[in-house]
Amino acid sequence: MKQIAVIGAGTMGNGIAHIFAMHGYKVSLCDVDEEALDRAMETIKNNLWRMVAKEKITEDHQQDSLSKITTYTQIPEAVKNADLVIEAASEKEATKIKIFEILDEHAPADCILASNTSSISITKIAAATNRPDKVIGMHFMNPVPIMKLVEIIRGYKTSDETSKIIHDTTVAIKKTPIQVNDYPGFIANRILMPMINEAIYTLYQGVAGVKEIDGIMKLGMAHPMGPLELADFIGLDVCKSILDVLHDGFKEAKYAPCPLLVNMVLAGDLGKKSGKGFYDYSEHKRAEVVAESFS
Ligand SMILES: NC(=O)c1ccc[n+]([C@@H]2O[C@H](COP(=O)([O-])OP(=O)(O)OC[C@H]3O[C@@H](n4cnc5c(N)ncnc54)[C@H](O)[C@@H]3O)[C@@H](O)[C@H]2O)c1
């Protein structure tokens, strides 16, 4: 593995490019949106600077890492010499299927195609290619430069060889791979999302307010963030769509998104990214509670 291509330069794509470049890989970072590429390079530069300031890397290492990243707006060009492609584009099934068709056509025949999807079936994505044995999930956690885990998802036809190469590559970038099979929500979101949904239900039913629910889970369970704050951080639309995938995949009522979550998403209160969710993120009211009125 020498040449990595990352498709999608948003929140996750820039973190993935950062971490591979920092560990000596050449990275082609590709996005359809030129501004997203500019923003990503700016973010990577700033995040690398932060590491220099904390004396985790040297200034030379920072410069060297940046010089390893090249940006592209066309997938065929970005992947033509890739050993590994990691797709981190928007979480839409049709988008990912289309991208994997293009990757299959333009990436070298022995190139491994990975997806960072949070919830879409790897088996389904792999079926859009002529190399399902070389398709795998690499589910990085946000923020990528900090979080150690990569949940590795084996699709129905992923080969042992592909799993082994991806395991070793994950270790080489100093992350911890944990392998799971491809069922809805994999492991991380299958366990996390019902917990977040239950926290929203307790608010919806008036059992307690936002601060109390998060306070109990932080202080009582030693969680670094309460479930409602975490939901705001992830994005309430993302939480709802993962719950929808679990609900559709297992056909079990326990995964149905809480009506309060559905309403907040419909109203555009998506959490941190929209400025308001269970907390208020507007400039003068950072993370102030707003949702107690729901109880
Ligand atoms: N944000 C998280 O906390 C998180 C955590 C783990 C996994 N993920 C997964 O990572 C993936 C990316 O999420 P994100 O939060 O970085 O999204 P994002 O919206 O920040 O970025 C997605 C980027 O993909 C680009 N894109 C869309 N279609 C494209 C195409 N056809 N070709 C190239 N680029 C394209 C968009 O322009 C955008 O810049 C999703 O599958 C998501 O489920 C997200």
Side-chain angles (χ1 to χ4, degrees):
M1 289 284 160
K2 286 196 170 66
Q3 176 78 46
I4 313 293
V6 180
I7 312 299
T11 311
M12 298 304 286
N14 81 61
I16 296 167
H18 167 146
I19 218 74
F20 274 96
M22 215 180 94
H23 288 89
Y25 294 84
K26 286 173 100 180
V27 179
S28 303
L29 180 59
C30 177
D31 201 294
V32 280
D33 178 357
E34 199 131 12
E35 282 175 20
L37 286 168
D38 293 343
R39 277 196 305 274
M41 289 310 292
E42 200 53 35
T43 304
I44 296 169
K45 199 161 120 193
N46 291 338
N47 287 343
L48 284 165
W49 263 122
R50 205 165 293 147
M51 296 179 107
V52 174
K54 287 185 180 165
E55 297 183 356
K56 288 189 172 161
I57 58 171
T58 64
E59 215 173 314
D60 280 353
H61 192 169
Q62 187 245 5
Q63 293 296 336
D64 187 53
S65 305
L66 276 178
S67 74
K68 288 201 151 47
I69 306 174
T70 312
T71 57
Y72 295 87
T73 52
Q74 302 296 324
I75 296 179
E77 225 189 309
V79 304
K80 66 173 187 260
N81 297 315
D83 300 309
L84 166 65
V85 179
I86 302 173
E87 171 277 317
S90 318
E91 184 77 345
K92 293 191 187 101
E93 193 177 297
T95 304
K96 295 205 190 276
I97 300 280
K98 182 78 208 142
I99 291 175
F100 272 74
E101 285 169 358
I102 299 170
L103 294 177
D104 194 34
E105 194 182 335
H106 295 278
D110 57 353
C111 175
I112 293 178
L113 308 179
S115 175
N116 184 49
T117 180
S118 310
S119 61
I120 298 168
S121 160
I122 297 299
T123 305
K124 196 177 220 175
I125 292 172
T129 73
N130 292 307
R131 56 179 103 181
D133 57 314
K134 292 190 172 59
V135 177
I136 194 162
M138 282 183 91
H139 185 205
F140 287 82
M141 304 290 132
N142 185 14
V144 180
I146 292 168
M147 299 293 281
K148 282 275 168 219
L149 174 68
V150 183
E151 190 180 25
I152 308 289
I153 301 110
R154 274 189 77 131
Y156 194 77
K157 291 198 171 165
T158 308
S159 69
D160 289 345
E161 192 195 359
T162 299
S163 300
K164 165 97 175 69
I165 294 170
I166 291 305
H167 176 279
D168 293 351
T169 305
T170 306
V171 172
I173 55 167
K174 303 225 163 44
K175 301 279 184 206
T176 305
I178 300 186
Q179 190 177 291
V180 308
N181 289 321
D182 182 26
Y183 289 98
F186 318 133
I187 289 291
N189 282 321
R190 180 161 168 188
I191 295 175
L192 175 65
M193 288 303 158
M195 185 191 73
I196 285 177
N197 202 34
E198 200 60 30
I200 300 171
Y201 260 110
T202 58
L203 180 69
Y204 174 64
Q205 293 169 345
V207 183
V210 171
K211 267 192 208 153
E212 289 74 19
I213 295 164
D214 275 356
I216 284 170
M217 296 306 285
K218 278 199 286 192
L219 295 173
M221 318 299 155
H223 289 188
M225 231 186 236
L228 300 174
E229 191 183 358
L230 181 57
D232 274 358
F233 180 70
I234 295 169
L236 301 193
D237 51 340
V238 176
C239 293
K240 180 188 169 294
S241 82
I242 297 173
L243 284 161
D244 286 337
V245 167
L246 290 169
H247 193 212
D248 289 347
F250 292 112
K251 311 275 185 261
E252 284 187 41
K254 68 176 179 178
Y255 297 115
C258 173
L260 172 58
L261 174 64
V262 175
N263 258 356
M264 290 175 78
V265 172
L266 288 174
D269 283 358
L270 306 180
K272 204 164 178 198
K273 65 182 161 192
S274 74
K276 199 169 159 195
F278 295 105
Y279 295 86
D280 188 334
Y281 300 89
S282 57
E283 218 177 316
H284 302 294
K285 297 194 276 180
R286 246 187 117 63
E288 212 170 87
V289 172
V290 290
E292 242 135 15
S293 53
F294 292 122
S295 61

